[in-house]
Amino acid sequence: MEAGHASINEAAAWRSPVTQMSASRVSSGAGLLIDRVSKRYGKVMAVRQTTIDIPRGEFLTILGPSGSGKTTLLMMVAGFEQPTSGDLRVGAKSIVALPPEKRNFGMVFQGYALFPHMTVEQNVAYPLMVRGQKGPDAVKKVKDALEFVRLGHLAARLPRQLSGGQQQRVAVARALVFNPDVVLLDEPLGALDRKLRSEVQVELKALHELLGSTFLFVTHDQEEALSMSDRIAIMRDGQLEQIGAPGELYERPGNRFVADFLGKSNFIEGVAQGSMDGVMVYQCGARRFSAEACDALPGEAVVFALRPEKVGVSATSCGGTLNEVCGRILHWNYFGSSFRFEIETAELGHVTADVPAWKGLASPRTGMEVFVNWERNATCRLAAEPYQATPQVAHQNAAAAAGR
Ligand SMILES: Nc1ncnc2c1ncn2[C@@H]1O[C@H](COP(=O)(O)OP(=O)(O)O)[C@@H](O)[C@H]1O
Ligand SMILES: [Mg+2]
């Protein structure tokens, strides 16, 4: 272990309620480079040429729909699957030829994969046994790991005698017991109900802060990804679509897939007319709208994403520099703090708007005529399909290709 690591034993001491809040991140573990990794299963390319550079101590989430290659990627990092091509590196060292137990990565599997015939204690001791660690030192590590996830009192139980949340904590203890350099978590909250899930999200994030280890976390849940991660890598069909900080991806999605998968989005298609004084005008049907200037040439097709919360809805025209179209309410729902409107318009088709309740219409009705508006800086221009790599991905690919 390098200097400056927080072991789970040391971290357990930090976990008292008084010190927990003030404990700053103690950087530990190692960074990881996934370098142009591909995996083929017969005719299926489960992962294609994926490059992700994960600095030490980062909480990186891989987000994508079912079947996008998330588990395959994680299994290759863990060493349970062999890449068809590409390399995996920790620092300067390639780990691709090392068996799982030599990689020093902790793994929480999809569905936990606890051994049903072993007690909680035996489950957590298993990774130590595989690594040839036994005796009083190993016993203490198991005890500390169980204390750490607050399950010390259930050490003698079998997994089936535990709740879903408790099983999840056993899986976390088992992944952390040998002080791994990197912690890999495959949809670790998938089996929990909504309330427990949000509690464990907070707990896992605090755990990451406390240990300072590198976390590689897999989920298909966008809210989970947004709320927990330092960065999110979005995958589709085995391919990395975009990688960046949550706010960066949400505010500047690179393409329709990202804009739609991470949050909800309206799309506006038009033809660029020209830019002047920082404002770009585009034609959409018989109407012209404005957006922030971009490098689209006059006559070029442009697509914009417009988030529902950036759409205004009013009973009368607002005028001014706002973009505005007329429409009719198809459906509306009231959520206490906000309204969601589904509105049909001639120019943009179907528009979804989320409006704070205090700004909403006084008495919305289905079929009612309304004005839909949005600021010129509310739209984000998307890359034309097929999607080009974002600058970050292009940069990472270039760096990887340069053989660093
Ligand atoms: N062992 C395997 N043999 C053949 N195909 C597989 C295997 N594991 C995964 N796949 C295929 O690879 C693709 C990616 O799967 P997976 O990594 O499990 O996706 P995710 O975890 O994102 O749901 C899917 O098309 C899946 O059917
Ligand atoms: Mg999976």
Side-chain angles (χ1 to χ4, degrees):
M1 212 165 62
E2 291 169 45
H5 285 196
S7 72
I8 193 161
N9 314 60
E10 290 155 1
W14 279 100
R15 211 185 158 100
S16 79
V18 181
T19 51
Q20 195 180 337
M21 297 306 287
S22 57
S24 60
R25 187 184 290 192
V26 195
S27 189
S28 83
L32 172 71
L33 177 66
I34 299 171
D35 185 6
R36 289 165 293 173
V37 165
S38 296
K39 178 69 184 181
R40 176 191 289 279
Y41 291 113
K43 283 190 180 147
V44 178
M45 281 301 283
V47 174
R48 304 158 196 256
Q49 287 280 331
T50 295
T51 295
I52 309 178
D53 193 352
I54 309 166
R56 170 181 160 134
E58 183 170 67
F59 193 125
L60 185 117
T61 297
I62 298 175
L63 174 70
S66 180
S68 57
K70 307 181 298 293
T71 295
T72 305
L73 188 60
L74 218 61
M75 293 305 253
M76 289 191 284
V77 171
F80 296 107
E81 289 285 359
Q82 202 56 29
T84 308
S85 63
D87 197 11
L88 295 159
R89 270 183 273 169
V90 171
K93 193 174 133 213
S94 173
I95 56 159
V96 87
L98 294 180
E101 68 277 9
K102 294 269 166 64
R103 295 189 184 193
N104 203 33
F105 293 173
M107 173 115 185
V108 178
F109 294 89
Q110 200 162 5
Y112 317 143
L114 297 176
F115 300 112
H117 57 288
M118 291 187 191
T119 63
V120 165
E121 193 173 23
Q122 288 165 340
N123 263 282
V124 176
Y126 184 81
L128 298 177
M129 197 186 81
V130 171
R131 288 167 176 77
Q133 298 183 29
K134 32 186 192 214
D137 191 37
V139 171
K140 178 164 176 4
K141 282 185 180 171
V142 171
K143 187 165 175 291
D144 282 347
L146 282 173
E147 287 304 326
F148 189 66
V149 296
R150 286 171 285 138
L151 283 179
H153 61 298
L154 300 180
R157 288 213 189 158
L158 291 170
R160 67 180 148 80
Q161 296 169 318
L162 302 177
S163 72
Q166 289 166 337
Q167 290 182 32
Q168 195 269 348
R169 300 211 310 263
V170 176
V172 168
R174 188 176 62 177
L176 296 177
V177 69
F178 53 94
N179 291 318
D181 289 323
V182 180
V183 186
L184 311 170
L185 304 109
D186 193 358
E187 312 230 13
L189 314 182
L192 308 182
D193 66 44
R194 203 179 164 81
K195 185 165 177 295
L196 190 55
R197 200 179 166 108
S198 58
E199 281 171 24
V200 180
Q201 281 173 10
V202 173
E203 237 174 55
L204 264 185
K205 197 166 153 72
L207 184 71
H208 172 255
E209 291 282 326
L210 202 61
L211 291 173
S213 329
T214 311
F215 272 43
L216 183 53
F217 182 91
V218 161
T219 184
H220 65 268
D221 183 315
Q222 46 130 338
E223 274 178 34
E224 200 160 282
L226 285 171
S227 67
M228 297 179 76
S229 325
D230 292 324
R231 280 192 308 160
I232 303 173
I234 298 191
M235 285 188 76
R236 168 170 60 163
D237 297 336
Q239 201 146 349
L240 184 62
E241 290 281 295
Q242 196 174 356
I243 182 165
E248 204 175 302
L249 291 197
Y250 189 83
E251 292 297 332
R252 289 190 297 281
N255 63 11
R256 273 186 194 239
F257 177 81
V258 174
D260 224 24
F261 197 72
L262 199 66
K264 190 170 166 54
S265 199
N266 298 293
F267 296 103
I268 306 176
E269 292 178 16
V271 176
Q273 301 294 300
S275 293
M276 211 167 74
D277 297 333
V279 178
M280 185 257 230
V281 173
Y282 59 100
Q283 185 93 23
C284 188
R287 296 285 307 277
R288 288 183 165 200
F289 303 119
S290 60
E292 282 187 331
C294 65
D295 56 7
L297 299 170
E300 194 178 328
V302 283
V303 184
F304 297 94
L306 175 61
R307 295 288 187 193
E309 67 271 20
K310 293 189 176 175
V311 179
V313 178
S314 67
T316 53
S317 173
C318 294
T321 59
L322 279 176
N323 293 298
E324 190 173 71
V325 296
C326 199
R328 223 167 259 290
I329 298 179
L330 290 175
H331 307 286
W332 61 276
N333 295 94
Y334 174 62
F335 296 105
S337 63
S338 67
F339 284 100
R340 167 160 288 189
F341 295 107
E342 304 292 349
I343 298 165
E344 191 60 32
T345 72
E347 294 85 352
L348 313 181
H350 190 121
V351 175
T352 302
D354 289 335
V355 183
W358 62 273
K359 269 184 165 179
L361 303 168
S363 49
R365 279 174 290 109
T366 301
M368 180 179 177
E369 189 181 81
V370 288
F371 290 87
V372 168
N373 59 59
W374 67 100
E375 305 265 1
R376 74 168 57 112
N377 64 5
T379 43
C380 167
R381 187 177 170 212
L382 303 176
E385 303 278 351
Y387 174 56
Q388 306 289 310
T390 59
Q392 299 100 308
V393 173
H395 172 76
Q396 289 193 348
N397 287 343
R404 12 165 264 159

